[in-house]
């Protein structure tokens, strides 16, 4: 999804470079997010889409890219049960708080970046983002998750249909 092909991509990469080179952020590559997409790749996709939209609308594209890159910094396999993970709430409700806590251990974030991370699951979580950038990230996150899921199922259906037509 995210492709490196022009000056926009170079600027985007510079905005999040201190995040993406961090060893803890790199560990996100070890955890699946949506089917075959790693948590890192998902966050990178969401960050890039959010960045492009915010840049086009003359919004705070730096805060949104940075918040998006960290929005799922939870570092566990969320497919395990709530009990096995010893979570107080289900993953969908608690991981934004975990991501924010993990992010603050590593980086100095501004208030908008913090809000973007902790509110990204709205409307699943009840309190909406405070900024337009937060809403953009929320929708970019849902869009990216949908694309990642559809890509997985498209590949399965392609395999099934190719077997069907070979028979």
């Amino acid at each position: 999804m995210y492709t490196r092909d022009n000056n926009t991509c170079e600027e985007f990469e510079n905005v999040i470079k201190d995040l993406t080179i961090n060893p803890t952020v790199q560990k996100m590559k070890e955890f699946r997010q949506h089917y075959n997409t790693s948590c890192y790749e998902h966050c990178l996709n969401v960050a890039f889409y959010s960045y492009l939209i915010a840049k086009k609308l003359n919004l705070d594209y730096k805060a949104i890219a940075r918040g998006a890159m960290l929005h799922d910094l939870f570092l566990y396999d969320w497919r395990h049960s709530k009990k096995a993970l010893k979570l107080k709430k289900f993953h969908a409700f608690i991981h934004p708080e975990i991501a924010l806590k993990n992010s603050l251990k590593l980086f100095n974030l501004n208030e908008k970046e913090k809000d973007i991370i902790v509110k990204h699951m709205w409307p699943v979580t009840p309190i909406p983002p405070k900024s337009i950038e937060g809403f953009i990230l929320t929708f970019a996150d849902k869009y990216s998750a949908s694309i990642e899921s559809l890509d997985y199922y498209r590949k399965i259906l392609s395999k099934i249909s190719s077997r069907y037509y070979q028979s």
Side-chain angles (χ1 to χ4, degrees):
M1 283 184 241
Y2 163 64
T3 57
R4 302 168 191 226
D5 60 13
N6 60 31
N7 292 336
T8 301
C9 294
E10 187 176 328
E11 181 184 49
F12 166 70
E13 289 170 353
N14 287 332
V15 168
I16 62 168
K17 187 174 183 94
D18 66 311
L19 309 179
T20 58
I21 63 170
N22 181 280
T24 302
V25 173
Q26 286 287 313
K27 284 184 185 177
M28 292 167 62
K29 292 177 180 179
E30 299 171 18
F31 299 95
R32 281 185 310 133
Q33 178 65 323
H34 304 112
Y35 301 99
N36 296 327
T37 306
S38 74
C39 193
Y40 180 92
E41 183 182 0
H42 168 71
C43 286
L44 189 63
N45 290 334
V46 174
F48 188 63
Y49 297 142
S50 298
Y51 165 86
L52 290 175
I53 294 166
K55 184 105 172 150
K56 184 79 171 173
L57 297 175
N58 292 317
L59 298 171
D60 190 346
Y61 60 89
K62 290 180 182 179
I64 198 170
R66 295 175 64 76
M69 193 63 217
L70 300 171
H71 83 277
D72 281 340
L73 184 61
F74 47 80
L75 303 176
Y76 58 82
D77 185 346
W78 61 267
R79 290 161 186 80
H80 293 296
S81 73
K82 176 183 138 184
K83 187 176 179 181
L85 292 168
K86 298 179 181 159
L87 298 176
K88 295 175 188 171
K89 302 176 191 173
F90 288 106
H91 170 76
F93 299 102
I94 194 81
H95 83 271
E97 295 170 31
I98 294 169
L100 179 60
K101 182 179 173 184
N102 290 341
S103 298
L104 290 172
K105 289 178 187 174
L106 303 169
F107 307 104
N108 291 321
L109 304 176
N110 66 37
E111 290 306 310
K112 188 177 284 185
E113 292 165 342
K114 292 176 194 176
D115 189 68
I116 284 170
I117 294 167
V118 80
K119 307 267 182 72
H120 82 270
M121 284 301 290
W122 181 82
V124 173
T125 52
I127 302 170
K130 293 179 182 175
S131 65
I132 298 295
E133 291 87 351
F135 281 99
I136 291 169
L137 176 122
T138 296
F139 296 120
D141 184 37
K142 278 49 169 181
Y143 171 78
S144 186
S146 298
I147 295 299
E148 292 159 8
S149 299
L150 286 170
D151 185 53
Y152 173 79
Y153 285 112
R154 186 175 25 248
K155 288 175 184 171
I156 289 174
L157 290 172
S158 177
K159 287 179 187 176
I160 291 169
S161 67
S162 67
R163 278 188 261 158
Y164 175 76
Y165 287 114
Q166 287 176 352
S167 310

